[in-house]
Amino acid sequence: MEDIRSDVCEMQLNGVSDVMDLLQIDVETEDRPEREHAAYSKNVLRKQRNWERQLAAKKSKRKEEKQKKKLNREQDSGASTGNPQFTKRVMKAITKERLAEAQSTGLKLCVDLSMTDSMSDKEVSRLAGQLRRLYGSNKKATRPFHLFLTDLREDSRLYRECIRMNDGFLNYTMDITEESCLDLFPPEAVVYLTPDAEEALETVDADKVYVLGGLVDESIQKKLSFTRARELSVHTARLPIDEYMVKKNNTKNFHSKILAVNQVFDILLTFCNTGSWTEAMQEWFPPGKGYVVEPDDSPPLLVSPTQT
């Protein structure tokens, strides 16, 4: 009997325990979703606030960058034109009109490209780059030249290199021709600029056509452009370097009057705008050539009145 009672009591206790377990499970299962939902809501709100702050920061940064770019564009436009109201499109139209006008009224300058056969591929590439810089200077000029690239054959290495290296080369506002300068102009009007000429160029005359030898010569072949001018039987002249510059001491004892075609052009362009060889040389003659402008208190040389 005692064993039966003991078993009954144990069963009762186990039943109570099972009931308690069930009650506890129900309580926990009822409380847990509320706690998890509260925690989940806080995380969502925190992440949403962080995302909103990041989004606001990005919008603010983009706005600042746009304002900075706009200010830089206005400053660049103002620096080049003196009028910050000119947009890039307006400036492009002004430049195009100025170059078009130079085609009929500008001073005439030819680049003689007949000597490229004697140049290496590297020299041809360098000459293509110099022609790009020359055209860039002419675009920026207040009074640009009427430019001619003469003796430029379409099957030549230089022609292919100019197209490869210079974006929009075929749209340059200049005359590109296979003809020579003498096919275009009378010999008496041509002045071939070469560093080996005896006579110094004193002024720039609107009735003349100035020719630059399109040549990059790293092998230092003597008097190539001078020889070419003699073949054409035209007048020659040199930049007045000896008249306005003096040699300066340097460790390599190096002095050279040989300039790239775009450097000669920049000097001519500045002289035409200022009437001063001193100013033109000082601004554009490369310091590494071993020459400096000699101090000069004399008044500037004026460009020929026939230019205007």
Side-chain angles (χ1 to χ4, degrees):
M1 291 292 295
E2 292 178 358
D3 291 338
I4 293 172
R5 291 176 181 174
S6 176
D7 291 339
V8 172
C9 290
E10 186 175 352
M11 290 176 62
Q12 291 176 344
L13 290 172
N14 288 337
V16 173
S17 178
D18 292 339
V19 172
M20 293 300 295
D21 289 340
L22 289 172
L23 289 173
Q24 185 176 359
I25 289 172
D26 290 339
V27 171
E28 290 179 355
T29 54
E30 289 176 2
D31 293 341
R32 188 179 300 133
E34 294 179 2
R35 291 198 299 270
E36 289 178 353
H37 179 71
Y40 175 78
S41 299
K42 289 181 180 179
N43 288 335
V44 170
L45 290 174
R46 185 171 63 252
K47 290 180 179 179
Q48 185 175 356
R49 285 195 295 269
N50 288 337
W51 178 79
E52 289 174 350
R53 283 196 294 268
Q54 291 176 2
L55 184 62
K58 288 181 180 179
K59 287 183 178 179
S60 178
K61 185 176 181 180
R62 284 198 297 267
K63 185 176 180 181
E64 291 177 359
E65 289 176 350
K66 286 182 179 179
Q67 290 176 344
K68 186 182 294 184
K69 288 180 180 179
K70 182 179 179 181
L71 180 61
N72 289 339
R73 287 196 299 267
E74 291 176 351
Q75 289 176 345
D76 291 342
S77 178
S80 60
T81 66
N83 190 342
Q85 296 179 352
F86 285 170
T87 64
K88 186 176 181 180
R89 181 179 296 180
V90 172
M91 283 305 304
K92 188 174 181 179
I94 291 174
T95 298
K96 186 176 181 179
E97 182 179 352
R98 190 181 293 151
L99 290 172
E101 184 179 354
Q103 296 288 93
S104 57
T105 62
L107 293 165
K108 297 177 180 62
L109 184 134
C110 299
V111 182
D112 176 14
L113 301 172
S114 64
M115 296 172 281
T116 56
D117 289 340
S118 62
M119 295 163 54
S120 67
D121 290 342
K122 181 181 177 182
E123 291 169 341
V124 168
S125 294
R126 288 184 58 191
L127 179 56
Q130 292 175 12
L131 293 177
R132 181 183 64 249
R133 289 188 285 274
L134 183 150
Y135 181 69
S137 294
N138 202 47
K139 282 178 62 177
K140 297 175 184 177
T142 304
R143 290 187 297 174
F145 276 76
H146 181 184
L147 296 179
F148 298 80
L149 299 185
T150 61
D151 293 278
L152 182 56
R153 304 188 314 273
E154 292 188 6
D155 62 347
S156 66
R157 290 177 300 159
L158 179 61
Y159 188 88
R160 293 192 296 269
E161 198 68 3
C162 284
I163 293 177
R164 185 185 71 85
M165 292 181 59
N166 306 337
D167 291 338
F169 173 74
L170 295 180
N171 295 322
Y172 281 5
T173 308
M174 61 167 63
D175 291 349
I176 301 175
T177 176
E178 295 186 2
E179 296 180 302
S180 73
C181 57
L182 292 188
D183 293 326
L184 304 174
F185 306 104
E188 60 272 16
V190 174
V191 179
Y192 206 114
L193 299 180
T194 168
D196 299 302
E198 294 183 3
E199 183 181 337
L201 185 67
E202 295 182 359
T203 188
V204 176
D205 192 337
D207 295 331
K208 299 294 183 181
V209 179
Y210 298 90
V211 181
L212 306 181
L215 181 68
V216 175
D217 182 22
E218 295 182 344
S219 61
I220 315 299
Q221 302 178 56
K222 299 293 185 181
K223 298 186 176 182
L224 284 179
S225 58
F226 184 75
T227 302
R228 170 63 175 163
R230 284 296 178 88
E231 290 175 356
L232 297 173
S233 299
V234 296
H235 187 73
T236 60
R238 57 176 172 80
L239 291 179
I241 298 173
D242 292 334
E243 287 72 16
Y244 290 88
M245 306 190 78
V246 294
K247 292 181 179 180
K248 68 175 182 179
N249 295 327
N250 57 67
T251 55
K252 297 182 179 180
N253 194 28
F254 175 75
H255 302 89
S256 175
K257 302 173 187 175
I258 308 299
L259 303 179
V261 63
N262 60 293
Q263 293 169 340
V264 177
F265 180 74
D266 283 333
I267 290 173
L268 281 178
L269 200 57
T270 302
F271 170 72
C272 290
N273 287 333
T274 64
S276 170
W277 285 116
T278 298
E279 186 173 338
M281 299 285 188
Q282 196 161 16
E283 183 172 356
W284 294 110
F285 199 94
K289 295 290 184 177
Y291 284 85
V292 293
V293 173
E294 186 176 21
D296 184 13
D297 298 329
S298 61
L301 263 170
L302 297 178
V303 181
S304 172
T306 57
Q307 176 185 340
T308 56

